[in-house]
Amino acid sequence: MATRKQDEFLLEAERSKVKPPPMYKVMLLNDDFTPMDFVIVVLQKFFSKDREQATRIMLKVHKEGMGVCGTYPKDLAATKVEQVVAFARQHQHPLACVMEEN
Ligand code: TYC
């Protein structure tokens, strides 16, 4: 039977091999046509922002051209991008949403 010390050593060696998953920023890009209120709804609906946080991010995108909505593992980031783009197109808005490795 392994001693307590050996167990701890093995656990430590195992733990150091497991890297955290790469994370991806999901970003909105500015355009001249999507209504500001629609962007605020997107940030609330898909990124769980309250109205104040959503307004701040929307205005940053409007003024600076892009803004980060959240940071997620790859699959979740890709799903957010798909959902946002599908929702925007359903409402005939050209809103662009992209992801980029952190
Ligand atoms: N620029 C848009 C407007 O003036 C608002 C907007 C903000 C659009 C953020 C896209 O990601 C965006 N109606």
Side-chain angles (χ1 to χ4, degrees), residues 49-66:
K49 304 300 182 190
D50 63 31
R51 198 170 165 88
E52 202 179 302
Q53 296 170 314
T55 302
R56 207 177 313 122
I57 296 169
M58 182 281 294
L59 285 174
K60 182 185 162 64
V61 178
H62 177 69
K63 290 178 191 158
E64 299 177 19
M66 61 138 276

Side-chain angles (χ1 to χ4, degrees), residues 33-78:
F33 305 102
T34 305
M36 290 183 173
D37 282 345
F38 183 81
V39 178
I40 292 170
V41 168
V42 164
L43 286 158
Q44 291 177 301
K45 185 176 170 70
F46 296 104
F47 300 98
S48 305
K49 304 300 182 190
D50 63 31
R51 198 170 165 88
E52 202 179 302
Q53 296 170 314
T55 302
R56 207 177 313 122
I57 296 169
M58 182 281 294
L59 285 174
K60 182 185 162 64
V61 178
H62 177 69
K63 290 178 191 158
E64 299 177 19
M66 61 138 276
V68 177
C69 312
T71 304
Y72 307 95
K74 193 174 194 176
D75 285 5
L76 185 52

